[in-house]
Amino acid sequence: MRQFVKNFPLLALVVITLAGTATVEAATGLNPPVKLIWHYYNNTCHDAERFIRHEVEKFYENDTTIAPKLLRLLYSDCMVNGCDASVLLQGPNSERTAPQNRGLGGFVFIDMIKQVLESYCPGVVSCADILNLATRDAVHMAGAPSYPVFTGRRDGGALNKDAVDLPSPSISVEESLAYFKSKGLDVLDMTTLLGAHSMGKTHCSHIVNRLYNFKNTGKPDPNMNTTLVSQLRYLCPPRTQKGQTDPLVYLNPYSGSRNEFTNSYYSRVLSHNAVLGVDQELLNNDDSKEITQEFAIGFEDFRKSFALAMSRMGSINVLTGNAGEIRRNCRVTNANYAA
């Protein structure tokens, strides 16, 4: 038997037993050095986490899409320059204007939470921590575990859009794994975090190559279920004209239309019904394939692994102590802030 064992403070021991004989290297905790603290704001803004949760609950009642929107927003922040809320900054060449970040949402919601906290404890709670905590609470309402979020992040400065290195959704599993490893994450983190594609949508332009001209063959991707090809071709016509509309389609029609966090993503990968190429590629690596098989039948295994993977991603290159700043407005640095 092979086991992925992960040990994490304040989380029960996660043990996922998989069939087979190979051993996969999996992390045993957060990426060192970890400088974040459990309930960091207890003495400076005691009810900060409660205020954030309350705002999330109010917003979620009217708009459940906030869960996938915040998940993508957090991923786009942490995986580029670390979790420093740089993606929230506005500007003509800002990070959020990069082609890979087209369609990002949730900005207004983070602004609303920031305004609430500024009225209670001005200049105390970082935008980076708000984004991490709000995402945790939103996806928990969608069905994910309420994992612990260690806090004490500070906000970073602006990045140019050219600094955004988020990969194409059509890359191979080897390229995807190399990217995650460059951020200090492993194959279990990668396979787990891609499971967030149980929710959300993607533009047709990201999948037309799989539908009509896979690897310049003039044919659809042979690894895509033919029924799915037909369904998506109906929604995504060939891109033949400049300025053509670029519709959105669900990454997972089963759960995506309800914005529910489920493990059905993995069953869809196994049945060759993944919409994105990077998701279907999980079957082309022995380790990610075996993890996919386990998560397809073990929702609790997936939920436990998701808790740790999100915490590990949330610790990437964080700014703490005297580094960075605590923005008064999440859209601008304090140097550009006008009250």
Side-chain angles (χ1 to χ4, degrees):
M1 303 297 287
R2 118 179 157 195
Q3 294 181 328
F4 294 94
V5 181
K6 289 194 169 190
N7 190 13
F8 184 58
L10 302 176
L11 279 180
L13 183 67
V14 179
V15 180
I16 303 174
T17 304
L18 306 177
T21 57
T23 300
V24 174
E25 292 184 3
T28 56
L30 295 182
N31 297 328
V34 177
K35 303 174 183 178
L36 304 176
I37 299 171
W38 179 239
H39 294 317
Y40 174 81
Y41 297 105
N42 265 2
N43 296 324
T44 55
C45 190
H46 181 73
D47 290 322
E49 294 191 27
R50 182 174 65 85
F51 288 145
I52 292 172
R53 184 165 54 252
H54 177 67
E55 292 300 312
V56 171
E57 290 171 349
K58 286 196 307 181
F59 203 92
Y60 189 88
E61 288 179 1
N62 297 314
D63 183 7
T64 59
T65 67
I66 196 62
K69 286 176 180 176
L70 288 182
L71 263 177
R72 185 186 171 198
L73 189 58
L74 180 63
Y75 171 84
S76 295
D77 184 45
C78 293
M79 296 295 280
V80 173
N81 193 50
C83 301
D84 63 354
S86 58
V87 75
L88 302 180
L89 292 169
Q90 285 184 317
N93 293 303
S94 63
E95 198 175 331
R96 65 160 83 178
T97 66
Q100 300 97 313
N101 285 331
R102 182 166 68 112
L104 278 183
F107 297 102
V108 172
F109 179 58
I110 298 300
D111 290 339
M112 291 169 55
I113 296 177
K114 180 63 173 173
Q115 289 174 7
V116 170
L117 291 172
E118 284 296 300
S119 68
Y120 282 97
C121 36
V124 173
V125 184
S126 70
C127 299
D129 277 343
I130 291 172
L131 179 55
N132 274 267
L133 289 163
T135 301
R136 185 271 310 274
D137 293 339
V139 296
H140 175 53
M141 295 191 72
S146 184
Y147 54 89
V149 173
F150 291 84
T151 43
R153 298 170 187 80
R154 289 170 66 86
D155 301 320
L159 284 181
N160 189 283
K161 64 181 180 182
D162 293 334
V164 176
D165 63 347
L166 296 171
S168 161
S170 299
I171 59 175
S172 69
V173 67
E174 290 82 9
E175 292 170 316
S176 180
L177 184 55
Y179 178 75
F180 275 83
K181 284 184 174 180
S182 74
K183 309 300 179 179
L185 303 177
D186 59 32
V187 65
L188 183 53
D189 295 315
M190 177 191 76
T191 310
T192 301
L193 292 172
L194 286 176
H197 289 167
S198 63
M199 301 185 290
K201 297 180 179 181
T202 189
H203 283 280
C204 285
S205 57
H206 289 148
I207 60 173
V208 287
N209 62 318
R210 296 192 73 203
L211 300 177
Y212 298 101
N213 190 26
F214 183 68
K215 294 184 177 179
N216 296 316
T217 62
K219 299 178 181 179
D221 185 347
N223 289 314
M224 181 181 278
N225 184 293
T226 55
T227 300
L228 180 63
V229 171
S230 299
Q231 292 171 343
L232 291 176
R233 280 184 167 182
Y234 176 77
L235 299 171
C236 299
R239 299 190 62 77
T240 58
Q241 301 175 10
K242 185 177 181 179
Q244 184 175 338
T245 59
D246 193 5
L248 288 164
V249 295
Y250 287 111
L251 292 170
N252 183 346
Y254 173 77
S255 58
S257 59
R258 299 187 297 274
N259 297 306
E260 291 179 352
F261 180 90
T262 74
N263 62 334
S264 60
Y265 161 88
Y266 297 100
S267 298
R268 291 183 66 85
V269 171
L270 291 174
S271 61
H272 295 271
N273 279 295
V275 173
L276 294 178
V278 68
D279 295 332
Q280 196 59 63
E281 279 283 317
L282 290 178
L283 299 187
N284 293 333
N285 173 278
D286 289 343
D287 296 328
S288 57
K289 179 179 180 179
E290 197 160 359
I291 298 167
T292 297
Q293 292 170 333
E294 173 59 27
F295 286 169
I297 60 174
F299 185 39
E300 285 307 307
D301 286 342
F302 170 46
R303 292 177 85 251
K304 291 173 183 177
S305 187
F306 184 81
L308 181 55
M310 288 295 289
S311 296
R312 280 169 50 75
M313 184 179 75
S315 74
I316 296 175
N317 292 341
V318 293
L319 300 175
T320 59
N322 294 321
E325 64 182 12
I326 305 297
R327 284 185 221 141
R328 302 301 297 268
N329 182 317
C330 292
R331 292 176 181 251
V332 296
T333 61
N334 288 342
N336 297 316
Y337 175 71

